[in-house]
mmCIF file of all heavy atoms in Angstrom:
data_model
loop_
_atom_site.group_PDB
_atom_site.id
_atom_site.type_symbol
_atom_site.label_atom_id
_atom_site.label_comp_id
_atom_site.label_asym_id
_atom_site.label_seq_id
_atom_site.Cartn_x
_atom_site.Cartn_y
_atom_site.Cartn_z
ATOM 1 N N ALA B 168 111.290 91.121 96.747
ATOM 2 C CA ALA B 168 112.416 91.837 97.177
ATOM 3 C C ALA B 168 112.895 91.453 98.653
ATOM 4 O O ALA B 168 114.013 91.361 98.885
ATOM 5 C CB ALA B 168 112.161 93.369 97.105
ATOM 6 N N ARG B 169 111.858 91.240 99.400
ATOM 7 C CA ARG B 169 112.138 90.879 100.789
ATOM 8 C C ARG B 169 112.881 89.538 100.789
ATOM 9 O O ARG B 169 113.918 89.369 101.584
ATOM 10 C CB ARG B 169 110.910 90.787 101.649
ATOM 11 C CG ARG B 169 111.098 90.559 103.194
ATOM 12 C CD ARG B 169 109.796 90.239 103.902
ATOM 13 N NE ARG B 169 110.085 90.192 105.306
ATOM 14 C CZ ARG B 169 110.574 89.169 106.010
ATOM 15 N NH1 ARG B 169 110.843 87.976 105.217
ATOM 16 N NH2 ARG B 169 110.744 89.191 107.282
ATOM 17 N N ASP B 170 112.407 88.676 100.139
ATOM 18 C CA ASP B 170 112.985 87.243 100.064
ATOM 19 C C ASP B 170 114.506 87.347 99.553
ATOM 20 O O ASP B 170 115.336 86.675 99.977
ATOM 21 C CB ASP B 170 112.244 86.341 99.063
ATOM 22 C CG ASP B 170 110.964 85.946 99.649
ATOM 23 O OD1 ASP B 170 110.669 86.129 100.894
ATOM 24 O OD2 ASP B 170 110.022 85.454 98.892
ATOM 25 N N ARG B 171 114.663 88.253 98.558
ATOM 26 C CA ARG B 171 116.023 88.407 98.117
ATOM 27 C C ARG B 171 116.920 89.045 99.163
ATOM 28 O O ARG B 171 118.097 88.590 99.367
ATOM 29 C CB ARG B 171 116.067 89.320 96.819
ATOM 30 C CG ARG B 171 117.376 89.432 96.140
ATOM 31 C CD ARG B 171 117.183 90.161 94.776
ATOM 32 N NE ARG B 171 116.561 91.429 94.869
ATOM 33 C CZ ARG B 171 115.419 91.664 94.436
ATOM 34 N NH1 ARG B 171 114.666 90.749 93.846
ATOM 35 N NH2 ARG B 171 114.861 92.864 94.457
ATOM 36 N N VAL B 172 116.469 90.026 99.827
ATOM 37 C CA VAL B 172 117.275 90.700 100.891
ATOM 38 C C VAL B 172 117.537 89.729 102.050
ATOM 39 O O VAL B 172 118.641 89.712 102.687
ATOM 40 C CB VAL B 172 116.519 91.945 101.428
ATOM 41 C CG1 VAL B 172 117.326 92.605 102.626
ATOM 42 C CG2 VAL B 172 116.352 92.974 100.346
ATOM 43 N N VAL B 173 116.577 88.998 102.444
ATOM 44 C CA VAL B 173 116.674 88.014 103.528
ATOM 45 C C VAL B 173 117.782 86.850 103.049
ATOM 46 O O VAL B 173 118.502 86.460 103.972
ATOM 47 C CB VAL B 173 115.302 87.210 103.890
ATOM 48 C CG1 VAL B 173 115.534 86.072 104.728
ATOM 49 C CG2 VAL B 173 114.412 88.194 104.505
ATOM 50 N N ALA B 174 117.695 86.608 101.766
ATOM 51 C CA ALA B 174 118.748 85.578 101.399
ATOM 52 C C ALA B 174 120.199 86.209 101.478
ATOM 53 O O ALA B 174 121.105 85.539 101.910
ATOM 54 C CB ALA B 174 118.412 85.242 99.909
ATOM 55 N N GLN B 175 120.244 87.433 101.024
ATOM 56 C CA GLN B 175 121.543 88.197 101.184
ATOM 57 C C GLN B 175 121.900 88.318 102.705
ATOM 58 O O GLN B 175 123.120 88.045 103.007
ATOM 59 C CB GLN B 175 121.406 89.620 100.478
ATOM 60 C CG GLN B 175 121.134 89.630 98.993
ATOM 61 C CD GLN B 175 120.924 90.964 98.548
ATOM 62 O OE1 GLN B 175 120.832 92.004 99.283
ATOM 63 N NE2 GLN B 175 120.765 91.081 97.224
ATOM 64 N N ARG B 176 121.051 88.574 103.462
ATOM 65 C CA ARG B 176 121.390 88.616 104.864
ATOM 66 C C ARG B 176 121.822 87.309 105.457
ATOM 67 O O ARG B 176 122.755 87.337 106.236
ATOM 68 C CB ARG B 176 120.064 89.057 105.631
ATOM 69 C CG ARG B 176 120.393 89.260 107.195
ATOM 70 C CD ARG B 176 119.129 89.427 107.978
ATOM 71 N NE ARG B 176 119.410 89.839 109.404
ATOM 72 C CZ ARG B 176 119.858 89.090 110.331
ATOM 73 N NH1 ARG B 176 120.177 87.812 110.089
ATOM 74 N NH2 ARG B 176 120.121 89.632 111.610
ATOM 75 N N HIS B 177 121.211 86.230 105.087
ATOM 76 C CA HIS B 177 121.576 84.923 105.543
ATOM 77 C C HIS B 177 123.073 84.663 105.064
ATOM 78 O O HIS B 177 123.854 84.070 105.798
ATOM 79 C CB HIS B 177 120.675 83.833 104.957
ATOM 80 C CG HIS B 177 120.907 82.467 105.417
ATOM 81 N ND1 HIS B 177 120.769 82.005 106.591
ATOM 82 C CD2 HIS B 177 121.555 81.413 104.785
ATOM 83 C CE1 HIS B 177 121.125 80.747 106.803
ATOM 84 N NE2 HIS B 177 121.650 80.365 105.543
ATOM 85 N N GLU B 178 123.297 85.077 103.848
ATOM 86 C CA GLU B 178 124.666 84.806 103.323
ATOM 87 C C GLU B 178 125.711 85.592 104.134
ATOM 88 O O GLU B 178 126.769 85.122 104.446
ATOM 89 C CB GLU B 178 124.712 85.216 101.773
ATOM 90 C CG GLU B 178 126.009 84.989 101.163
ATOM 91 C CD GLU B 178 126.063 85.513 99.736
ATOM 92 O OE1 GLU B 178 124.900 85.785 99.171
ATOM 93 O OE2 GLU B 178 127.051 85.430 99.146
ATOM 94 N N ARG B 179 125.390 86.842 104.314
ATOM 95 C CA ARG B 179 126.410 87.792 105.148
ATOM 96 C C ARG B 179 126.453 87.243 106.535
ATOM 97 O O ARG B 179 127.630 87.222 107.007
ATOM 98 C CB ARG B 179 125.893 89.136 105.034
ATOM 99 C CG ARG B 179 125.905 89.855 103.649
ATOM 100 C CD ARG B 179 127.241 89.711 102.983
ATOM 101 N NE ARG B 179 128.268 90.781 103.704
ATOM 102 C CZ ARG B 179 129.452 90.538 103.684
ATOM 103 N NH1 ARG B 179 129.981 89.446 103.106
ATOM 104 N NH2 ARG B 179 130.201 91.385 104.327
ATOM 105 N N ALA B 180 125.426 86.818 107.151
ATOM 106 C CA ALA B 180 125.546 86.306 108.555
ATOM 107 C C ALA B 180 126.378 85.109 108.631
ATOM 108 O O ALA B 180 126.861 84.880 109.570
ATOM 109 C CB ALA B 180 124.066 86.178 109.050
ATOM 110 N N GLY B 181 126.301 84.334 107.464
ATOM 111 C CA GLY B 181 127.080 83.113 107.544
ATOM 112 C C GLY B 181 128.571 83.216 107.647
ATOM 113 O O GLY B 181 129.278 82.332 108.005
ATOM 114 N N VAL B 182 129.071 84.367 107.388
ATOM 115 C CA VAL B 182 130.591 84.571 107.442
ATOM 116 C C VAL B 182 131.092 85.065 108.868
ATOM 117 O O VAL B 182 132.246 85.128 109.096
ATOM 118 C CB VAL B 182 131.087 85.487 106.418
ATOM 119 C CG1 VAL B 182 130.673 85.111 105.002
ATOM 120 C CG2 VAL B 182 130.557 87.027 106.632
ATOM 121 N N LEU B 183 130.093 85.386 109.650
ATOM 122 C CA LEU B 183 130.389 85.853 111.050
ATOM 123 C C LEU B 183 130.559 84.700 111.988
ATOM 124 O O LEU B 183 129.888 83.628 111.904
ATOM 125 C CB LEU B 183 129.192 86.709 111.533
ATOM 126 C CG LEU B 183 129.109 88.031 110.861
ATOM 127 C CD1 LEU B 183 127.701 88.800 111.298
ATOM 128 C CD2 LEU B 183 130.382 89.096 111.092
ATOM 129 N N SER B 184 131.435 84.914 113.017
ATOM 130 C CA SER B 184 131.524 83.889 114.073
ATOM 131 C C SER B 184 130.180 83.919 114.751
ATOM 132 O O SER B 184 129.450 84.877 114.947
ATOM 133 C CB SER B 184 132.561 84.215 115.034
ATOM 134 O OG SER B 184 132.355 85.482 115.771
ATOM 135 N N LYS B 185 129.915 82.755 115.379
ATOM 136 C CA LYS B 185 128.675 82.636 116.231
ATOM 137 C C LYS B 185 128.447 83.559 117.294
ATOM 138 O O LYS B 185 127.430 84.106 117.633
ATOM 139 C CB LYS B 185 128.441 81.140 116.685
ATOM 140 C CG LYS B 185 128.209 80.147 115.533
ATOM 141 C CD LYS B 185 127.980 78.847 116.097
ATOM 142 C CE LYS B 185 127.725 77.671 115.006
ATOM 143 N NZ LYS B 185 127.466 76.349 115.579
ATOM 144 N N SER B 186 129.624 83.793 117.931
ATOM 145 C CA SER B 186 129.642 84.698 119.167
ATOM 146 C C SER B 186 129.327 86.217 118.727
ATOM 147 O O SER B 186 128.548 86.869 119.354
ATOM 148 C CB SER B 186 131.027 84.617 119.809
ATOM 149 O OG SER B 186 131.956 84.919 119.011
ATOM 150 N N VAL B 187 129.887 86.541 117.629
ATOM 151 C CA VAL B 187 129.712 87.962 117.171
ATOM 152 C C VAL B 187 128.212 88.124 116.719
ATOM 153 O O VAL B 187 127.571 89.084 116.988
ATOM 154 C CB VAL B 187 130.665 88.320 116.024
ATOM 155 C CG1 VAL B 187 130.308 89.659 115.399
ATOM 156 C CG2 VAL B 187 132.130 88.400 116.690
ATOM 157 N N LEU B 188 127.731 87.110 115.886
ATOM 158 C CA LEU B 188 126.430 87.088 115.338
ATOM 159 C C LEU B 188 125.482 87.107 116.525
ATOM 160 O O LEU B 188 124.461 87.915 116.447
ATOM 161 C CB LEU B 188 126.131 86.073 114.432
ATOM 162 C CG LEU B 188 124.753 85.931 113.772
ATOM 163 C CD1 LEU B 188 124.473 87.213 112.945
ATOM 164 C CD2 LEU B 188 124.604 84.692 112.894
ATOM 165 N N SER B 189 125.675 86.329 117.475
ATOM 166 C CA SER B 189 124.742 86.132 118.583
ATOM 167 C C SER B 189 124.715 87.544 119.435
ATOM 168 O O SER B 189 123.663 87.945 119.818
ATOM 169 C CB SER B 189 125.192 85.019 119.536
ATOM 170 O OG SER B 189 124.358 84.963 120.731
ATOM 171 N N ARG B 190 125.872 88.123 119.543
ATOM 172 C CA ARG B 190 125.889 89.428 120.266
ATOM 173 C C ARG B 190 125.255 90.425 119.524
ATOM 174 O O ARG B 190 124.381 91.242 120.206
ATOM 175 C CB ARG B 190 127.476 89.765 120.342
ATOM 176 C CG ARG B 190 127.657 91.076 121.309
ATOM 177 C CD ARG B 190 129.117 91.276 121.255
ATOM 178 N NE ARG B 190 129.480 92.506 122.214
ATOM 179 C CZ ARG B 190 130.653 93.066 122.315
ATOM 180 N NH1 ARG B 190 131.770 92.399 121.563
ATOM 181 N NH2 ARG B 190 130.894 94.160 123.041
#
Side-chain angles (χ1 to χ4, degrees):
R169 186 187 187 281
D170 291 342
R171 185 169 57 250
V172 175
V173 168
Q175 293 172 355
R176 185 194 191 280
H177 181 73
E178 180 182 353
R179 294 302 291 153
V182 305
L183 292 169
S184 66
K185 289 184 179 180
S186 61
V187 169
L188 179 59
S189 176
R190 187 180 179 188

